[in-house]
Amino acid sequence: MIDHFLVDEFENIVGLPYVLTDIEDMVTYSYDAAVLDPVTPLAAIMPGNSEELGQIIKICNENNLPLTIRGAGTNLSGGTIPSATGIVILTSRLNSIIEINKQDMYAVVQPGVVTATLSEAVEKKGLFYPPDPGSQAVSTLGGNIAENAGGLRGLKYGVTKDYVMGLEFFDAAGRHIKTGSKTVKCATGYNLSGLMVGSEGTLGVIDKIILKLLPLPSHRKSMVAVFNNMEQASETVAAIIANRIIPATLEILDNFTIRAVEAFSNAGLPVDAAALLLIEVDGHPAVVQEDGEKIETLCRKLGAVNIKIAANDQERDKIWAARRSALSALAKLKPTLVLEDVTVPRSRIPDMVKALQQIAKDFKIDIGTFGHAGDGNLHPTILTDKRDVKEWKRVEMAIEAIFEKALAMDGTLSGEHGTGLAKLPFLEKEVGKATIAFSQQLRKALDPNKILNPGKVTGIF
Amino acid sequence: MTNIKKLAQLVKELEDQFVVCIRCGMCQSVCPLFEQTKKEADVARGKLALLDGLMNRMFSNPEGASERLNRCLLCGSCASNCPSGVNVLEIFIKARIILTEYKGLSRTKKIIFRNILSKPKTFNRLMKWAGHFQGIFTKKNKNSQGTSCARLISPLLSNRNFMPVATEPFHEHLPKLDTVSSRSRLKVAFFTGCLIDKIFPKIAKDCIDVFHYHDIGVFIPENQGCCGIPALASGDLKTFEQLVEHHVDLFENNSFDYLITACATCTSTIKKLWPAIYKGNQNRVQNFVEHLSEKTLDINQFLVANIKIDSSHTDGDTDKEIVTYHDPCHLKKSLGIFKEPRQILNASGIKLIEMESPDKCCGMGGSFNLFHYDISSKIGTLKYESIVKTSCKTVATGCPACMMQISDMLAKNKSNINVKHPIELYANNLKSKEGLDKD
Ligand SMILES: Cc1cc2nc3c(=O)[nH]c(=O)nc-3n(C[C@H](O)[C@H](O)[C@H](O)COP(=O)(O)OP(=O)(O)OC[C@H]3O[C@@H](n4cnc5c(N)ncnc54)[C@H](O)[C@@H]3O)c2cc1C
Ligand code: SF4
Ligand code: SF4
């Protein structure tokens, strides 16, 4: 139970309808998209502006009340599973696009703006915000920054961190901190934006965001290459990059995923193919033309049995609809879906894919693999039913095996989904004890009352 | 005792269905209610988590959970966008049944549903009575939707523009019908549905005219009633079953090729919910309900599939009436029907101009509109705005419930735009081509 005085105080700040404490509502803020056990918070608060947000944080700090910030709650690592003795702060009402500046090519937004809403708004002005996580129709920009979200265009355009020019955030004491600026360059003070990106709500609460925008590419070309074995497909990925071509997108689907997508959407995919590469190049028309042709030649040389080039926008949309439906198609096969995001140096993609197939066999579980082959980021997707206790045990062991393989290849546990609670037990293996201790010290110094999303990323400190 | 067995079976089915939700949150992007309130309990993911909590006995008092479950338009937008294929509507309906059985119906609903809806004769009498006397309670607004403000009771009804109850419901105009076709040999049964019968009888009349024009035999049994969705949506299984069984009796011993309705909600209820609720029963009613479900078609879909419709509309014809089309959730999202109504419109001598997001829910949601009129109106206002932007003269839609909501929104904003069913426009065009009287 939360103290009545505190509830009154919160209600005075944000207004009665925006403080929720009923158990039924708490249940709806007890989870995110990670397959982890839910935890119900004491209250959920929906501030309507910066001042309200700052005041709430201050009260939490004065009362040692843990707080978890929640954007859309789509993260896959347990980052918004709250503390049972804490509250949840929702950013859904902090959702205005404050400015889109065409001349200086930046946007200023509140943290609750939905990613796709911003992309659409800037595209209407001929500008481009490249980070496009699969969840962009619902995910918030605050959540994207706090997770350093990636997307399909990561290979050429990078990830969220590459677009953060400046931030305003509240620290644990509710002080308002500013970092970065609207200028392309900025060298004053520490690069605190860099620290906040990927901090998963543990170092501060993001309140305002300045994002870099690009000119919208004028031309694009998409194609699908069909391979009869995985090695050839992976070698092609490496060869494209070795030839100094950087496609905007370079995605891979394995046979399991191809079959699932085809069963789901009848898109006409070759169900016998071992792998598909989906490729898009964009930019100046001459470059698009040239790169497109080079890629086609490479694919053929390295064993592609068929290459289809999208002749128009409709065909292009069809290619990407197939890729985007991968997760849906897999999700329909079994009740529980565990979406991993191990990432390896791209030259190791063939080894990693092979290892995943072996792990699926060893542990007798279904794994469909697709992902951003171009940047080494795979999404092995485990299909299971959590209610089947025995199988779930095998799934947990398989996940561990996947992590071990990735680390052995100089890879990382997570390319884009974050640490949260899910990867916490494995973090030490990747970064070592000292790194965790350093991070804990940082938190201790910045958040002595331990109120900011306790338990996430570094564990209890 | 049987009821308890049925309930237990429902709980089991429900559990198997809601574990499929992977909590991805993609439903947030399409839920019209969440768009307004930003509360997780209003979107499918939150409601499914609530159900999970309920089944795990997390709540000692189900009232709070059931109140939240009822805050839903049952529009199915979430389901149509769900990567995991969660059958959200069926789950919500079953949950409502379980909760209602558990709590017992509220007094007022008991009276309305058990005594009135379940006995078509009483319902008809009551509505007729209301039709004759509505003049006392309402004044006719001079606007093109033909709504009337509920003058005396408006404080209670927050200035809703009610559609007047027709003075002559369809079943009085044409109590029953049984015709055969001379050439096509096609025969349809027509399910009128409450709203068309009592509020929009002209749609039913136009349907019959269209059937005649295309030489299609029609069977309309006497004493039809409600498809049962209002009862089901408030969890009243008993009334629902009485209604379904009443209609099974009416249609069972007659032969026809298709069962046609002009109401999106009736179509999707008969096609999807009737068999879903009877599943596993293995008796005569269940068999017939399955069979009927396969034969049930929306009128637009039926016409496009069975009649040669000339929908090669001619562009550049500037003096044609501009019409825009709203996709009823129960047609597009539940049944995947969105091309056919447009084909019918294009064959109706009008110029179809699409509005922005034509398939966005209008905010009606049956009793949601009654209990949450404020939010329902906010959602409806978004629809109003996209309709007006098309500069249309008429907005067409294939569901009388959507027609009521859209009429209310247009009337509120003092707009002169007409609201019509595609069949009305199609029939009008046939009549004008034939040189018959237009109405
Ligand atoms: C179907 C699906 C597809 C996905 N595809 C991708 C993908 O392609 N690439 C990718 O990178 N991720 C992907 N994700 C994961 C997820 O969508 C991203 O991590 C996203 O950035 C989370 O945004 P959110 O608004 O949901 O944040 P939440 O889940 O609400 O929060 C995430 C973390 O950020 C913190 N946080 C949120 N707002 C703030 C704030 N204002 N200040 C400080 N901390 C804050 C939270 O405390 C939490 O720790 C996918 C998820 C799903 C379900
Ligand atoms: S979209 Fe479907 S699977 Fe995802 S949270 Fe909503 S109901 Fe669950
Ligand atoms: S049925 Fe409609 S209102 Fe209800 S949860 Fe789904 S999208 Fe939201």
Side-chain angles (χ1 to χ4, degrees):
Chain A
M1 275 291 279
I2 184 163
D3 196 323
H4 262 287
F5 294 111
L6 283 177
V7 175
D8 287 348
E9 269 194 73
F10 289 138
E11 283 174 357
N12 283 337
I13 296 170
V14 297
L16 201 64
Y18 301 118
V19 178
L20 310 172
T21 54
D22 289 350
I23 172 71
E24 291 84 0
D25 288 317
M26 296 309 97
V27 168
T28 68
Y29 298 114
S30 64
Y31 52 76
D32 49 36
V35 189
L36 294 169
D37 292 336
V39 178
T40 49
L42 299 176
I45 304 178
M46 308 167 86
N49 57 46
S50 284
E51 289 71 47
E52 292 178 6
L53 178 61
Q55 286 174 32
I56 298 167
I57 297 167
K58 224 176 231 151
I59 293 179
C60 288
N61 194 42
E62 284 160 6
N63 293 279
N64 291 335
L65 190 63
L67 71 90
T68 296
I69 303 283
R70 186 180 176 93
T74 66
N75 77 86
L76 291 154
S77 50
T80 47
I81 296 182
S83 150
T85 57
I87 65 160
V88 168
I89 299 178
L90 304 167
T91 59
S92 52
R93 289 177 69 221
L94 304 171
N95 64 346
S96 9
I97 298 179
I98 300 166
E99 182 188 358
I100 295 176
N101 192 314
K102 232 177 131 168
Q103 208 164 12
D104 293 329
M105 294 211 288
Y106 66 81
V108 183
V109 300
Q110 287 192 301
V113 171
V114 169
T115 316
T117 309
L118 179 72
S119 310
E120 281 158 24
V122 303
E123 278 187 30
K124 278 198 190 127
K125 302 195 176 209
L127 296 170
F128 185 35
Y129 177 69
D132 60 341
S135 52
Q136 60 175 336
V138 288
S139 74
T140 64
L141 289 161
N144 290 166
I145 291 173
E147 295 286 358
N148 191 15
L152 263 57
R153 303 182 183 122
L155 175 56
K156 176 167 176 184
Y157 291 104
V159 296
T160 305
K161 75 168 193 281
D162 301 306
Y163 294 86
V164 183
M165 295 168 75
L167 289 178
E168 291 181 22
F169 63 91
F170 290 102
D171 74 354
R175 288 179 303 190
H176 200 243
I177 319 287
K178 271 188 189 176
T179 173
S181 79
K182 293 175 181 168
T183 52
V184 174
K185 299 166 158 185
C186 173
T188 40
Y190 289 130
N191 175 11
L192 298 179
S193 304
L195 191 62
M196 291 303 290
V197 172
S199 63
E200 303 187 19
T202 64
L203 297 178
V205 177
I206 301 162
D207 174 47
K208 209 191 248 182
I209 306 163
I210 308 172
L211 291 167
K212 180 169 88 177
L213 303 173
L214 301 181
L216 196 61
S218 62
H219 283 76
R220 317 188 262 216
K221 189 174 202 174
S222 299
M223 58 189 102
V224 184
V226 182
F227 290 87
N228 278 343
N229 77 55
M230 198 47 148
E231 284 73 37
Q232 288 173 340
S234 326
E235 279 162 19
T236 308
V237 171
I240 291 173
I241 294 174
N243 276 273
R244 308 229 164 83
I245 308 166
I246 305 287
T249 306
L250 177 42
E251 299 281 308
I252 196 164
L253 306 186
D254 76 349
N255 175 266
F256 191 98
T257 311
I258 297 169
R259 279 184 289 135
V261 171
E262 186 53 26
F264 168 69
S265 63
N266 290 318
L269 299 185
V271 289
D272 298 328
L276 293 185
L277 290 182
L278 314 183
I279 308 163
E280 179 164 289
V281 284
D282 68 359
H284 190 273
V287 178
V288 168
Q289 182 66 21
E290 197 186 315
D291 283 354
E293 281 164 11
K294 274 196 207 156
I295 291 175
E296 204 185 328
T297 318
L298 276 173
C299 288
R300 285 202 200 286
K301 205 171 102 194
L302 290 165
V305 287
N306 189 2
I307 297 175
K308 194 172 157 40
I309 296 171
N312 49 41
D313 277 356
Q314 254 168 339
E315 288 188 18
R316 171 183 180 268
D317 290 347
K318 241 173 129 179
I319 293 178
W320 298 111
R323 162 61 182 86
R324 270 190 291 272
S325 69
L327 189 68
S328 311
L330 292 169
K332 292 207 169 65
L333 301 179
K334 294 232 180 127
T336 313
L337 172 145
V338 184
L339 180 61
E340 283 302 339
D341 68 325
V342 284
T343 304
V344 292
R346 28 180 181 246
S347 60
R348 306 302 297 270
I349 288 259
D351 304 333
M352 194 62 213
V353 171
K354 233 185 273 165
L356 288 168
Q357 285 168 344
Q358 192 57 43
I359 289 170
K361 231 184 255 164
D362 291 350
F363 294 94
K364 297 197 199 66
I365 53 173
D366 289 333
I367 304 183
T369 298
F370 60 95
H372 322 304
D375 48 33
N377 184 354
L378 291 174
H379 287 307
T381 304
I382 304 176
L383 307 164
T384 177
D385 184 342
K386 214 181 164 182
R387 294 170 300 175
D388 180 342
V389 184
K390 276 190 193 149
E391 181 169 295
W392 184 247
K393 193 95 218 126
R394 294 203 304 279
V395 168
E396 288 183 321
M397 292 192 299
I399 293 174
E400 237 181 293
I402 294 174
F403 288 165
E404 253 155 44
K405 282 279 176 214
L407 292 179
M409 295 177 199
D410 288 335
T412 171
L413 305 176
S414 169
E416 52 182 24
H417 297 164
T419 312
L421 296 170
K423 308 257 163 65
L424 181 58
F426 309 98
L427 187 65
E428 194 182 312
K429 272 192 192 149
E430 177 171 337
V431 300
K433 265 200 172 61
T435 311
I436 294 179
F438 177 83
S439 310
Q440 289 179 338
Q441 256 173 334
L442 189 68
R443 284 184 78 172
K444 231 182 262 176
L446 293 175
D447 178 15
N449 295 334
K450 307 180 182 184
I451 62 163
L452 295 175
N453 216 4
K456 317 294 152 50
V457 190
T458 64
I460 309 289
F461 57 92
Chain B
M1 203 50 210
T2 41
N3 247 358
I4 297 194
K5 221 173 103 187
K6 175 89 195 163
L7 261 190
Q9 183 198 332
L10 280 176
V11 173
K12 175 82 190 63
E13 282 173 24
L14 194 66
E15 205 201 52
D16 283 342
Q17 286 179 315
F18 73 65
V19 293
V20 179
C21 170
I22 54 171
R23 302 279 189 267
C24 68
M26 297 311 282
C27 38
Q28 284 175 14
S29 69
V30 289
C31 175
L33 186 53
F34 182 81
E35 184 182 13
Q36 296 298 325
T37 65
K38 311 283 185 208
K39 280 193 193 157
E40 183 90 14
D42 284 337
V43 72
R45 179 170 68 162
K47 291 193 167 78
L48 292 164
L50 262 175
L51 273 178
D52 199 14
L54 258 186
M55 298 298 146
N56 290 321
R57 291 172 212 282
M58 201 181 286
F59 313 111
S60 46
N61 170 10
E63 201 58 54
S66 116
E67 183 199 311
R68 284 168 181 77
L69 281 173
N70 282 330
R71 262 171 75 97
C72 173
L73 292 152
L74 296 179
C75 66
S77 305
C78 47
S80 69
N81 193 48
C82 170
S84 200
V86 178
N87 196 340
V88 185
L89 292 191
E90 210 180 300
I91 295 175
F92 289 168
I93 291 280
K94 283 179 183 163
R96 288 181 182 197
I97 294 174
I98 294 168
L99 281 165
T100 310
E101 287 288 325
Y102 185 79
K103 297 185 306 176
L105 279 177
S106 74
R107 232 179 86 89
T108 29
K109 280 197 179 170
K110 242 185 209 141
I111 295 168
I112 297 174
F113 288 113
R114 295 239 159 96
N115 295 340
I116 302 176
L117 281 185
S118 63
K119 300 189 184 81
K121 271 190 187 142
T122 332
F123 186 39
N124 289 339
R125 219 178 300 132
L126 193 91
M127 294 305 278
K128 188 171 163 206
W129 181 86
H132 282 314
F133 289 97
Q134 68 181 348
I136 301 174
F137 299 110
T138 60
K139 70 166 187 273
K140 198 116 179 141
N141 272 351
K142 280 213 174 66
N143 59 28
S144 13
Q145 297 85 35
T147 67
S148 60
C149 249
R151 191 167 20 133
L152 289 178
I153 41 173
S154 69
L156 198 72
L157 297 167
S158 342
N159 271 320
R160 223 178 242 111
N161 291 279
F162 262 146
M163 296 303 297
V165 177
T167 31
E168 190 194 39
F170 179 72
H171 74 272
E172 261 180 31
H173 165 80
L174 188 69
K176 58 178 176 176
L177 187 67
D178 199 351
T179 60
V180 287
S181 107
S182 45
R183 283 164 287 123
S184 80
R185 290 171 183 278
L186 212 52
K187 179 153 187 175
V188 299
F190 186 69
F191 187 91
T192 316
C194 305
L195 290 183
I196 290 185
D197 183 51
K198 275 129 199 129
I199 299 189
F200 301 105
K202 180 171 166 293
I203 299 176
K205 290 179 202 163
D206 282 343
C207 287
I208 305 305
D209 290 347
V210 169
F211 291 140
H212 279 318
Y213 177 88
H214 290 298
D215 186 31
I216 294 158
V218 185
F219 167 59
I220 301 178
E222 203 167 0
N223 208 8
Q224 282 190 43
C226 166
C227 70
I229 186 70
L232 206 53
S234 61
D236 182 355
L237 185 61
K238 194 166 155 211
T239 306
F240 172 77
E241 286 180 342
Q242 277 172 2
L243 286 165
V244 173
E245 279 151 39
H246 172 73
H247 291 112
V248 167
D249 291 342
L250 288 185
F251 287 105
E252 201 178 20
N253 296 317
N254 293 279
S255 76
F256 47 86
D257 301 297
Y258 300 104
L259 179 74
I260 307 300
T261 98
C263 169
T265 306
C266 292
T267 313
S268 81
T269 304
I270 298 173
K271 247 186 133 50
K272 292 193 131 173
L273 292 175
W274 285 18
I277 301 297
Y278 277 87
K279 199 169 82 191
N281 278 12
Q282 305 237 326
N283 55 24
R284 162 194 146 243
V285 177
Q286 190 262 342
N287 279 338
F288 189 69
V289 159
E290 284 286 339
H291 172 71
L292 203 60
S293 156
E294 280 161 27
K295 282 188 167 187
T296 303
L297 292 182
D298 164 65
I299 182 138
N300 298 290
Q301 187 190 16
F302 165 76
L303 289 176
V304 169
N306 290 282
I307 308 296
K308 237 176 111 46
I309 301 285
D310 176 21
S311 52
S312 56
H313 62 113
T314 39
D315 273 337
D317 204 345
T318 43
D319 50 318
K320 278 183 183 168
E321 175 180 339
I322 295 179
V323 175
T324 193
Y325 178 73
H326 160 71
D327 284 293
C329 293
H330 292 153
L331 266 193
K332 183 165 181 198
K333 291 165 195 134
S334 299
L335 302 169
I337 296 170
F338 58 96
K339 285 192 197 126
E340 295 89 338
R342 289 176 170 80
Q343 281 167 280
I344 293 294
L345 286 173
N346 281 329
S348 301
I350 56 95
K351 184 174 165 73
L352 178 64
I353 296 205
E354 295 286 352
M355 67 177 94
E356 202 179 303
S357 320
D359 61 353
K360 185 163 177 163
C361 175
C362 68
M364 177 68 178
S367 61
F368 181 87
N369 173 278
L370 282 178
F371 296 118
H372 306 284
Y373 187 64
D374 277 4
I375 307 178
S376 171
S377 295
K378 280 192 190 142
I379 302 170
T381 302
L382 297 177
K383 182 63 34 177
Y384 162 79
E385 284 162 2
S386 33
I387 292 171
V388 171
K389 270 192 218 145
T390 62
S391 312
C392 65
K393 197 167 162 246
T394 299
V395 50
T397 186
C399 178
C402 301
M403 287 173 73
M404 285 176 72
Q405 168 80 343
I406 292 173
S407 298
D408 184 14
M409 294 304 122
L410 290 168
K412 251 199 176 124
N413 289 287
K414 312 217 167 6
S415 158
N416 289 322
I417 297 172
N418 300 303
V419 182
K420 297 263 160 139
H421 193 288
I423 291 306
E424 291 183 274
L425 296 169
Y426 181 71
N428 226 16
N429 189 47
L430 290 183
K431 286 172 197 170
S432 69
K433 272 203 285 200
E434 294 281 290
L436 296 175
D437 280 348
K438 279 217 257 182
D439 44 9

